[in-house]
Amino acid sequence: MEDRVLLSAVESTFTGVVIADARAPDCPVIYCNPAFVELTGYPQEEVLGRNCRFLQGPATDREAVARVRQAIADGRSTRALLLNYRKDGRPFWNELHLSPVCDGDGNPTHFVGIQLDVTERVEGFRLLERALREWTATLDALPEMVFLTDGAGRLRRCNLAASEFFGLGFRELIDRRLAELFGQEEGLFRGAGGEFRLGRSCYSVANHPLPRAQGGQVHVVRDITAQKALSSQLEWLLAAVEQAADAVVVTDLEGRIESLNRSFRAKTGWSSEEALGMELFALQGVPPEVAAQVRREVEEGRVYSGLYQARRRGGEVYWEEATVSPVREAGGRVVKLVHIQRDVSERRRLEAIAEAVNMAENLGQVFSGLRHELGNPINSAMTALSVLRENAARWPTAQVLSFVERALVELERVAYLLRTLKTFNLEALELERLELGRFLRRLLLLVREDLERKGIQLTLRPPEEEVVAWADPRALHQVLLNLLSNAAEALEGHPLPEISLEFCRRGRRVEVTVGDNGRGMGPEELARLFKPFYTTKRQGSGLGLVISQRLMAGMRGTLSVQSERGRGTRVTLTLEEASGAASPPAGGEPGPAVPAPPGEAPAGPEGF
Ligand SMILES: Cc1cc2nc3c(=O)[nH]c(=O)nc-3n(C[C@H](O)[C@H](O)[C@H](O)COP(=O)(O)O)c2cc1C
C-alpha cells in the first residue's frame, strides 16, 4: 500500500494518533494527526518534540502512568485508561493504546499511540456505579429484610439485614427459595403475603411484584414482635379503660367529649353517639363554679380533684367524685383532659346513715348532756327548796310562794326533757309500704290550722305519679312534725311566711322535702345542727333533729339540710322506694327509736 494512502487514512480517522521516536531522549512526539489536535486542543507545533505526559494533570492515576512507563521500557503494547487535560484545562478520559514499531532486531524504533475519548462511557459507568453503591447502602441501612426473587421464585439479591439474619453470605443465599430459607409455605411469598412466627418472634411478609417486563418480586420481611406486643398491650389498655369501674372521659381543652367508656354511659344514661362532641360539664349539668375551678386548675397544669353534684340524662342529681388531669403531648403542651369520675351518691347516703347512727349511739355524749340538762334544774330546785325549809316558818307567804314557784319552774323543765326523751326509746321500727300522697295530706290536716293561725302559707306539691316508700308511719310522722315545727319557728316575724312540702321518686329512692323561706342558717349553725342538746330555740331540747335523723336512719333513710342565712332552709328526707319490692329493704338496722304513735302525738307541730 502506498504511504500516501496510509497517511491519508491516519489523517482522516476520528481517533487521535501520535507517533513518538523511541530512540530519541524522552520519547518525543514526531507526528500527531488532526483528530489528536482536535481532542486535546493543542496545535501540532505545541505537540511535536514533547513527551505525551504533558496531557496529564493533578488527578491522573499515577499507578496507571507507571504501568505505561513499564510497558514502554519493556518495548511492548499496552492499553491504559488515563485522565488527561485539554489545553483549556477541561479533563477527559483517554483510552490509550500503545504499540511499539520495531527494527529488524526487534528493538522499538517508534511507538504509536491511539487516543480514544471515552469520557461519556466512563462518566456513565461511574454514575451507574454510584447509583448502585447508594442503593446498596440504602437497602443495607433498612432493618427490614429485602429480597429480590426471579420469575421462578429463586433469590437474586438481598440486603445486609437478610444476610445477617441467616448468617450466610450473598453467594450462599443466591438461587435459594425464600419458603425453604424461612421454613414456611410457598404461598406466603406470593400474593399479598402474611405473617409467620419463628420461635418467640413474629414477622410480616409483604410481596411486591416487579413490572411484568422484568418479572420477579421484591419481598420485605419485617420483625413485628415488638409491634405485636405493643398493639396487644394497647388493646388490653383500651379494654381496661372501657371496662373500668370508674367513668373515664377524654375531652379536648374546651371540654368537648372525644371518648368515653362504658361506666360513663351506664352512670349518666347518655349513649356514645349522643355524648361525643358535647361539652362534658354542660351535658352533666355540673355547676358553672365547679367547671370554672376545673379550668383554673388544669390551665395551671395541676390535677383537679373534687366532689360535685351532677345530673343524669333523666335529670336525677347525684354526687360525683372526680379528678381531671391534663394530658401532655411529647413537647409538654397540654392537649387533652382526662376525667375520671365516680358516682358516690350511694356511698354518701350510707355514710350519712352511719353517721346518724353513730352520733345517736354515742351514749357518753348523750348522757353527759342529760346529766347537765337534768342536773342543773334539779340542783336549782333543791337549792330553792332547802332555803325554803330553813326559812318557811318566818317568811311571809308571798316569799314562800315565790320560792315554791322557782322550784316548780325548774322541775317543769325536767319534766319537759323527760317527755322529749320518751320518743328516743329503743323499740324496733316497723317498715311498711306508705303511700306518701295520702300520708302527707292526712298529716297536713293536723297541722294546717295551727300554721294558718301563725299566718304561714302551707303548700303541698304532690307529683303526678303515686309514690310509695318503705317507712314507719309513726316515725315519719314524728320527723315531719319536728321539721314543720322548726320551719314555723324559723318563720317568726317574716312578712310572707311560707312552708312547702314536696315529694317525688328519684330512681330507687323517694325524697320528701320541707322548705321554708325563713331566716335560714349560716355554715356554723349548720355544722352544729346534729349535736345533741344544741338549740337556738327558746323552747327546745336540742334533740329534735338528732332524734329525727336517728329515726330516718332506722328507716334506711337519710336527713339532710340545706340552708342559707336570710333565704330559708330545705330539709330533704330520703326513703327507699317501695312500689315494686316485695319486702322491706334488706340490712335495715334494728329500729333504734319509735316515736309516740300518731294518736299520741301533739295535734299541732310541737318542737322537741
Ligand atoms: C506514542 C506515545 C503516546 C502517548 N500518549 C499519551 C497520552 O495520550 N496521554 C498520556 O497521558 N500519556 C501518553 N503517553 C505516555 C507518556 O508519554 C509517558 O510515557 C508516561 O507518562 C510514562 O512516563 P513518565 O513516568 O516518565 O511520565 C504516550 C507515550 C507514547 C510513547
CSV table of all heavy atoms in Angstrom, one decimal, residues 18-20 26-27 29 36 51-56 60 62 65-66 68-70 72 82-84 94 96-99 111-115, ligand 1:
chain,number,residue,atom,x,y,z
A,18,VAL,N,-0.7,9.4,17.6
A,18,VAL,CA,0.6,10.1,17.7
A,18,VAL,C,1.7,9.0,17.5
A,18,VAL,O,1.5,7.9,17.8
A,18,VAL,CB,0.8,10.7,19.1
A,18,VAL,CG1,-0.1,11.9,19.3
A,18,VAL,CG2,0.7,9.8,20.2
A,19,ILE,N,2.8,9.5,17.0
A,19,ILE,CA,4.0,8.6,16.8
A,19,ILE,C,5.1,9.3,17.5
A,19,ILE,O,5.4,10.5,17.4
A,19,ILE,CB,4.4,8.4,15.3
A,19,ILE,CG1,3.1,7.8,14.6
A,19,ILE,CG2,5.6,7.5,15.2
A,19,ILE,CD1,3.3,7.7,13.1
A,20,ALA,N,5.8,8.5,18.4
A,20,ALA,CA,6.9,9.0,19.2
A,20,ALA,C,8.2,8.3,18.8
A,20,ALA,O,8.2,7.1,18.4
A,20,ALA,CB,6.7,8.9,20.7
A,26,ASP,N,13.7,10.8,25.9
A,26,ASP,CA,12.4,11.1,26.5
A,26,ASP,C,11.2,10.9,25.5
A,26,ASP,O,10.1,11.4,25.6
A,26,ASP,CB,12.3,12.5,27.1
A,26,ASP,CG,11.2,12.5,28.1
A,26,ASP,OD1,10.8,11.5,28.7
A,26,ASP,OD2,10.7,13.6,28.4
A,27,CYS,N,11.5,10.1,24.4
A,27,CYS,CA,10.4,9.6,23.5
A,27,CYS,C,9.5,10.8,23.0
A,27,CYS,O,8.3,10.8,23.3
A,27,CYS,CB,9.6,8.6,24.3
A,27,CYS,SG,9.1,7.2,23.3
A,29,VAL,N,7.3,13.2,20.6
A,29,VAL,CA,6.2,13.0,19.6
A,29,VAL,C,6.8,13.6,18.3
A,29,VAL,O,7.3,14.7,18.3
A,29,VAL,CB,4.9,13.7,19.9
A,29,VAL,CG1,3.9,13.6,18.8
A,29,VAL,CG2,4.3,13.2,21.2
A,36,PHE,N,-6.1,14.2,17.0
A,36,PHE,CA,-5.5,14.4,18.3
A,36,PHE,C,-5.5,15.9,18.7
A,36,PHE,O,-5.8,16.2,19.8
A,36,PHE,CB,-4.0,13.9,18.2
A,36,PHE,CG,-3.2,14.0,19.5
A,36,PHE,CD1,-3.2,13.0,20.4
A,36,PHE,CD2,-2.5,15.2,19.7
A,36,PHE,CE1,-2.5,13.2,21.6
A,36,PHE,CE2,-1.8,15.4,20.9
A,36,PHE,CZ,-1.8,14.3,21.9
A,51,ASN,N,7.2,15.1,25.1
A,51,ASN,CA,6.7,13.8,25.6
A,51,ASN,C,5.2,13.9,25.9
A,51,ASN,O,4.8,15.0,26.4
A,51,ASN,CB,7.4,13.3,26.9
A,51,ASN,CG,7.0,12.0,27.3
A,51,ASN,OD1,5.9,11.8,27.7
A,51,ASN,ND2,8.0,11.0,27.3
A,52,CYS,N,4.4,12.9,25.6
A,52,CYS,CA,3.0,13.0,25.8
A,52,CYS,C,2.5,13.2,27.2
A,52,CYS,O,1.3,13.4,27.4
A,52,CYS,CB,2.3,11.7,25.2
A,52,CYS,SG,1.7,12.0,23.5
A,53,ARG,N,3.4,13.1,28.2
A,53,ARG,CA,2.9,13.3,29.6
A,53,ARG,C,2.4,14.7,29.9
A,53,ARG,O,1.7,14.9,30.9
A,53,ARG,CB,4.0,12.9,30.6
A,53,ARG,CG,5.1,13.9,30.7
A,53,ARG,CD,6.0,13.6,31.9
A,53,ARG,NE,6.9,12.5,31.6
A,53,ARG,CZ,8.0,12.5,30.9
A,53,ARG,NH1,8.5,13.6,30.4
A,53,ARG,NH2,8.7,11.4,30.7
A,54,PHE,N,2.6,15.6,28.9
A,54,PHE,CA,2.1,16.9,29.1
A,54,PHE,C,0.5,17.0,29.2
A,54,PHE,O,-0.1,17.9,29.7
A,54,PHE,CB,2.5,17.9,28.0
A,54,PHE,CG,1.9,17.7,26.7
A,54,PHE,CD1,0.7,18.4,26.3
A,54,PHE,CD2,2.6,16.9,25.7
A,54,PHE,CE1,0.2,18.2,25.1
A,54,PHE,CE2,2.0,16.7,24.5
A,54,PHE,CZ,0.8,17.3,24.1
A,55,LEU,N,-0.1,15.8,28.7
A,55,LEU,CA,-1.6,15.8,28.8
A,55,LEU,C,-2.1,15.4,30.2
A,55,LEU,O,-3.2,15.5,30.5
A,55,LEU,CB,-2.1,14.7,27.8
A,55,LEU,CG,-1.9,15.0,26.4
A,55,LEU,CD1,-2.3,13.9,25.5
A,55,LEU,CD2,-2.8,16.2,26.0
A,56,GLN,N,-1.1,14.9,31.1
A,56,GLN,CA,-1.5,14.5,32.4
A,56,GLN,C,-1.7,15.7,33.3
A,56,GLN,O,-1.2,16.8,33.1
A,56,GLN,CB,-0.5,13.5,33.0
A,56,GLN,CG,-0.4,12.3,32.1
A,56,GLN,CD,0.9,11.4,32.3
A,56,GLN,OE1,1.6,11.7,33.3
A,56,GLN,NE2,1.1,10.5,31.5
A,60,THR,N,-4.6,12.6,37.5
A,60,THR,CA,-4.3,11.4,36.7
A,60,THR,C,-3.7,10.3,37.6
A,60,THR,O,-3.0,10.6,38.6
A,60,THR,CB,-3.2,11.8,35.7
A,60,THR,OG1,-3.6,13.0,35.0
A,60,THR,CG2,-2.9,10.7,34.7
A,62,ARG,N,-1.6,7.8,39.1
A,62,ARG,CA,-0.1,7.6,39.0
A,62,ARG,C,0.2,6.1,38.7
A,62,ARG,O,1.2,5.8,38.0
A,62,ARG,CB,0.6,8.1,40.2
A,62,ARG,CG,0.6,9.6,40.6
A,62,ARG,CD,0.4,10.6,39.5
A,62,ARG,NE,1.5,10.6,38.5
A,62,ARG,CZ,1.5,11.3,37.5
A,62,ARG,NH1,0.5,12.1,37.2
A,62,ARG,NH2,2.5,11.3,36.6
A,65,VAL,N,-0.1,5.4,35.1
A,65,VAL,CA,1.0,6.0,34.3
A,65,VAL,C,2.3,5.1,34.5
A,65,VAL,O,3.0,4.8,33.5
A,65,VAL,CB,1.3,7.4,34.9
A,65,VAL,CG1,2.6,8.0,34.3
A,65,VAL,CG2,0.2,8.4,34.5
A,66,ALA,N,2.5,4.6,35.7
A,66,ALA,CA,3.6,3.7,36.0
A,66,ALA,C,3.6,2.5,35.1
A,66,ALA,O,4.6,2.0,34.6
A,66,ALA,CB,3.7,3.4,37.4
A,68,VAL,N,2.2,2.3,32.2
A,68,VAL,CA,2.5,2.7,30.8
A,68,VAL,C,4.0,2.8,30.6
A,68,VAL,O,4.7,2.3,29.7
A,68,VAL,CB,1.9,4.0,30.4
A,68,VAL,CG1,2.4,4.6,29.1
A,68,VAL,CG2,0.3,3.8,30.4
A,69,ARG,N,4.6,3.4,31.6
A,69,ARG,CA,6.1,3.6,31.6
A,69,ARG,C,6.8,2.3,31.5
A,69,ARG,O,7.7,2.1,30.7
A,69,ARG,CB,6.5,4.3,32.9
A,69,ARG,CG,8.0,4.7,32.9
A,69,ARG,CD,8.3,5.7,34.1
A,69,ARG,NE,8.0,5.1,35.4
A,69,ARG,CZ,7.1,5.6,36.2
A,69,ARG,NH1,6.5,6.7,35.9
A,69,ARG,NH2,6.9,5.1,37.4
A,70,GLN,N,6.3,1.3,32.3
A,70,GLN,CA,6.9,0.0,32.3
A,70,GLN,C,6.8,-0.7,31.0
A,70,GLN,O,7.7,-1.3,30.4
A,70,GLN,CB,6.2,-0.9,33.4
A,70,GLN,CG,7.0,-2.2,33.7
A,70,GLN,CD,8.4,-1.9,34.2
A,70,GLN,OE1,8.7,-1.1,35.0
A,70,GLN,NE2,9.4,-2.6,33.5
A,72,ILE,N,6.5,0.7,28.1
A,72,ILE,CA,7.4,1.4,27.1
A,72,ILE,C,8.8,0.9,27.4
A,72,ILE,O,9.6,0.5,26.4
A,72,ILE,CB,7.4,2.9,27.3
A,72,ILE,CG1,6.0,3.4,26.8
A,72,ILE,CG2,8.5,3.6,26.5
A,72,ILE,CD1,5.7,4.9,27.1
A,82,LEU,N,-6.5,6.7,31.1
A,82,LEU,CA,-5.9,7.8,31.8
A,82,LEU,C,-6.8,9.1,31.8
A,82,LEU,O,-7.4,9.4,30.8
A,82,LEU,CB,-4.6,8.2,31.1
A,82,LEU,CG,-3.5,7.0,31.1
A,82,LEU,CD1,-2.4,7.3,30.1
A,82,LEU,CD2,-2.9,6.9,32.5
A,83,LEU,N,-6.7,9.8,32.9
A,83,LEU,CA,-7.4,11.1,33.0
A,83,LEU,C,-6.5,12.1,32.4
A,83,LEU,O,-5.4,12.3,33.0
A,83,LEU,CB,-7.9,11.4,34.4
A,83,LEU,CG,-8.7,12.7,34.4
A,83,LEU,CD1,-10.1,12.5,33.8
A,83,LEU,CD2,-8.9,13.2,35.9
A,84,ASN,N,-6.8,12.7,31.3
A,84,ASN,CA,-5.9,13.8,30.7
A,84,ASN,C,-6.6,15.1,30.7
A,84,ASN,O,-7.8,15.2,31.0
A,84,ASN,CB,-5.6,13.4,29.2
A,84,ASN,CG,-4.4,12.3,29.2
A,84,ASN,OD1,-4.0,11.8,28.2
A,84,ASN,ND2,-3.9,12.0,30.4
A,94,ASN,N,-9.1,9.3,28.6
A,94,ASN,CA,-8.3,8.9,27.4
A,94,ASN,C,-8.1,7.4,27.5
A,94,ASN,O,-7.4,6.9,28.4
A,94,ASN,CB,-7.0,9.7,27.4
A,94,ASN,CG,-6.2,9.4,26.1
A,94,ASN,OD1,-6.5,8.6,25.3
A,94,ASN,ND2,-5.1,10.1,26.0
A,96,LEU,N,-6.0,4.9,26.0
A,96,LEU,CA,-4.7,5.0,25.2
A,96,LEU,C,-4.3,3.6,24.8
A,96,LEU,O,-4.2,2.7,25.7
A,96,LEU,CB,-3.6,5.6,26.1
A,96,LEU,CG,-2.2,5.6,25.5
A,96,LEU,CD1,-2.1,6.5,24.3
A,96,LEU,CD2,-1.2,6.1,26.6
A,97,HIS,N,-4.1,3.4,23.6
A,97,HIS,CA,-3.5,2.1,23.1
A,97,HIS,C,-2.1,2.4,22.5
A,97,HIS,O,-1.9,3.3,21.7
A,97,HIS,CB,-4.3,1.6,21.9
A,97,HIS,CG,-5.7,1.2,22.3
A,97,HIS,ND1,-6.2,-0.1,22.5
A,97,HIS,CD2,-6.8,2.0,22.6
A,97,HIS,CE1,-7.4,-0.1,22.9
A,97,HIS,NE2,-7.8,1.2,23.0
A,98,LEU,N,-1.1,1.7,23.1
A,98,LEU,CA,0.3,2.0,22.7
A,98,LEU,C,0.9,0.7,22.1
A,98,LEU,O,0.7,-0.4,22.6
A,98,LEU,CB,1.1,2.3,24.0
A,98,LEU,CG,1.4,3.7,24.3
A,98,LEU,CD1,2.4,3.8,25.5
A,98,LEU,CD2,2.0,4.5,23.2
A,99,SER,N,1.5,0.9,21.0
A,99,SER,CA,2.2,-0.2,20.3
A,99,SER,C,3.6,0.2,19.8
A,99,SER,O,3.7,1.3,19.3
A,99,SER,CB,1.4,-0.7,19.1
A,99,SER,OG,0.0,-0.8,19.4
A,111,PHE,N,7.0,4.4,18.8
A,111,PHE,CA,5.8,4.0,19.5
A,111,PHE,C,4.6,4.7,18.8
A,111,PHE,O,4.7,5.9,18.6
A,111,PHE,CB,5.8,4.3,21.0
A,111,PHE,CG,6.5,3.2,21.8
A,111,PHE,CD1,7.8,3.4,22.2
A,111,PHE,CD2,5.8,2.1,22.2
A,111,PHE,CE1,8.5,2.5,22.9
A,111,PHE,CE2,6.5,1.1,22.9
A,111,PHE,CZ,7.8,1.3,23.3
A,112,VAL,N,3.5,3.9,18.5
A,112,VAL,CA,2.3,4.5,18.0
A,112,VAL,C,1.3,4.6,19.1
A,112,VAL,O,1.1,3.5,19.8
A,112,VAL,CB,1.7,3.7,16.8
A,112,VAL,CG1,0.5,4.4,16.3
A,112,VAL,CG2,2.8,3.7,15.7
A,113,GLY,N,0.8,5.7,19.4
A,113,GLY,CA,-0.3,5.8,20.4
A,113,GLY,C,-1.6,6.2,19.8
A,113,GLY,O,-1.7,7.1,18.9
A,114,ILE,N,-2.7,5.5,20.2
A,114,ILE,CA,-4.0,5.9,19.7
A,114,ILE,C,-4.9,6.3,20.9
A,114,ILE,O,-4.9,5.6,21.9
A,114,ILE,CB,-4.7,4.6,19.0
A,114,ILE,CG1,-3.8,4.3,17.7
A,114,ILE,CG2,-6.1,4.9,18.6
A,114,ILE,CD1,-4.3,3.1,17.0
A,115,GLN,N,-5.4,7.5,20.8
A,115,GLN,CA,-6.2,8.1,21.9
A,115,GLN,C,-7.7,8.1,21.6
A,115,GLN,O,-8.1,8.6,20.5
A,115,GLN,CB,-5.8,9.5,22.2
A,115,GLN,CG,-4.5,9.6,22.9
A,115,GLN,CD,-3.3,9.7,22.0
A,115,GLN,OE1,-3.5,9.7,20.7
A,115,GLN,NE2,-2.1,9.8,22.5
B,1,LIG,C1,3.4,7.3,21.4
B,1,LIG,C2,3.0,7.6,22.8
B,1,LIG,C3,1.8,8.2,23.1
B,1,LIG,C4,1.4,8.6,24.4
B,1,LIG,N1,0.2,9.2,24.6
B,1,LIG,C5,-0.1,9.5,25.8
B,1,LIG,C6,-1.3,10.2,26.0
B,1,LIG,O1,-2.1,10.4,25.1
B,1,LIG,N2,-1.6,10.5,27.3
B,1,LIG,C7,-0.8,10.3,28.3
B,1,LIG,O2,-1.1,10.6,29.5
B,1,LIG,N3,0.4,9.6,28.2
B,1,LIG,C8,0.8,9.3,26.9
B,1,LIG,N4,1.9,8.6,26.7
B,1,LIG,C9,2.8,8.2,27.9
B,1,LIG,C10,3.7,9.3,28.4
B,1,LIG,O3,4.3,9.9,27.2
B,1,LIG,C11,4.8,8.7,29.2
B,1,LIG,O4,5.4,7.6,28.6
B,1,LIG,C12,4.2,8.3,30.5
B,1,LIG,O5,3.8,9.4,31.2
B,1,LIG,C13,5.2,7.5,31.4
B,1,LIG,O6,6.4,8.1,31.5
B,1,LIG,P1,6.8,9.1,32.8
B,1,LIG,O7,6.6,8.4,34.0
B,1,LIG,O8,8.2,9.4,32.5
B,1,LIG,O9,5.9,10.3,32.6
B,1,LIG,C14,2.3,8.3,25.4
B,1,LIG,C15,3.6,7.7,25.2
B,1,LIG,C16,3.9,7.4,23.9
B,1,LIG,C17,5.2,6.7,23.7
